[in-house]
Amino acid sequence: MDTLKKEDVEKLIKEGKSLKDMDFSFAELDGIDLSGQDLSGAVFTGAEIRNANFEGANLEGAFIADADFSGANFKNANLSRAILQRVNLRNANFENANMFKVQLMVCDASGANFKNANMQQSRLEKTRFRKAVMDKADISYSNMRSTDFQEASFIGTKFSYSDLRKSQLQRAWFENVEAEEVMVYGKKPWLEGSKAKLDIDQIKAPNWDD
């Protein structure tokens, strides 16, 4: 199948066609409006979809790799069980998004907004969240090893029973967080919670080994 163009996708939407499980690999869809669309199971390998609107869209189980989604709006979107690898998510908006069991691996989410997002049981390894807003997000029972949270904001954030080993937390702001039994190297930068050893099997998501 030829690479999808923006006008092709807009025509499908206008005709009410399903976008579920569609292959958007290498598509150039900057600024496209996919709000409210069912994109579950879709593939976005190598896609360029900067500043696109995914508000309220369903991206459950989507696969996104080596793609550019910088500035995209995922507010109220469903990204549960989606896999994102090496994706540019700089300044993207994930406010109120359902990101249960999401996998953000080696992504750049600097300056992104995850306020009030449900990120329980997620894998956020080796991803950059510099200056990101994590306020009121629930990241509990997650693997955040080797993440870069420098200058990020954690106000009212829940990340109990998570693995923060090798994470960079310099100049991050922690306020009223829930951080019970978090694995972290060195001195924890928050007041609440406790540094404790725990069995990794207790916190890893069921799909960690998929």
Side-chain angles (χ1 to χ4, degrees):
M1 183 178 176
D2 293 334
T3 302
L4 284 169
K5 295 182 175 61
K6 187 175 178 180
E7 51 267 31
D8 299 331
V9 179
E10 289 174 337
K11 183 181 179 184
L12 290 172
I13 293 171
K14 192 173 182 180
E15 294 173 352
K17 300 288 178 61
S18 173
L19 304 180
K20 186 176 180 180
D21 299 319
M22 186 166 285
D23 189 352
F24 293 91
S25 293
F26 305 105
E28 296 180 6
L29 305 172
D30 287 355
I32 195 167
D33 184 2
L34 293 169
S35 57
Q37 295 295 321
D38 184 1
L39 299 158
S40 55
V43 176
F44 294 91
T45 303
E48 295 183 7
I49 316 185
R50 292 172 285 257
N51 301 309
N53 186 14
F54 292 91
E55 183 166 352
N58 180 17
L59 289 120
E60 181 171 1
F63 181 81
I64 305 170
D66 302 297
D68 190 348
F69 280 69
S70 55
N73 178 25
F74 294 95
K75 185 175 182 180
N76 298 316
N78 177 19
L79 290 108
S80 62
R81 296 179 174 82
I83 298 174
L84 293 84
Q85 298 176 346
R86 299 175 302 279
V87 181
N88 183 354
L89 300 168
R90 293 174 70 92
N91 301 313
N93 181 22
F94 294 91
E95 186 171 354
N96 298 321
N98 176 13
M99 304 179 75
F100 179 69
K101 289 188 183 178
V102 75
Q103 298 187 37
L104 266 64
M105 314 285 286
V106 201
C107 295
D108 185 356
S110 298
N113 177 20
F114 295 90
K115 187 174 182 179
N116 206 41
N118 175 16
M119 305 172 77
Q120 291 184 66
Q121 297 186 39
S122 57
R123 288 181 71 183
L124 309 176
E125 295 153 270
K126 298 181 180 177
T127 287
R128 180 178 290 180
F129 292 93
R130 288 192 180 184
K131 297 185 178 179
V133 176
M134 315 299 294
D135 299 351
K136 295 184 178 178
D138 189 344
I139 327 173
S140 50
Y141 298 94
S142 294
N143 185 341
M144 295 180 270
R145 292 196 72 169
S146 303
T147 47
D148 185 350
F149 283 115
Q150 294 184 69
E151 299 183 74
S153 173
F154 295 86
I155 300 175
T157 310
K158 300 176 182 178
F159 53 95
S160 295
Y161 305 101
S162 288
D163 188 348
L164 276 163
R165 288 177 293 179
K166 296 187 179 180
S167 59
Q168 298 179 55
L169 301 168
Q170 297 92 330
R171 299 178 301 282
W173 181 260
F174 294 88
E175 186 179 322
N176 297 322
V177 296
E178 291 185 20
E180 293 299 321
E181 302 212 31
V182 174
M183 286 190 285
V184 60
Y185 289 146
K187 186 178 178 182
K188 61 185 184 294
W190 55 85
L191 295 176
E192 295 82 5
S194 58
K195 179 182 177 182
K197 291 182 179 179
L198 70 163
D199 184 351
I200 191 69
D201 288 324
Q202 294 177 350
I203 68 166
K204 67 180 184 180
N207 69 348
W208 273 19
D209 301 319
D210 290 355

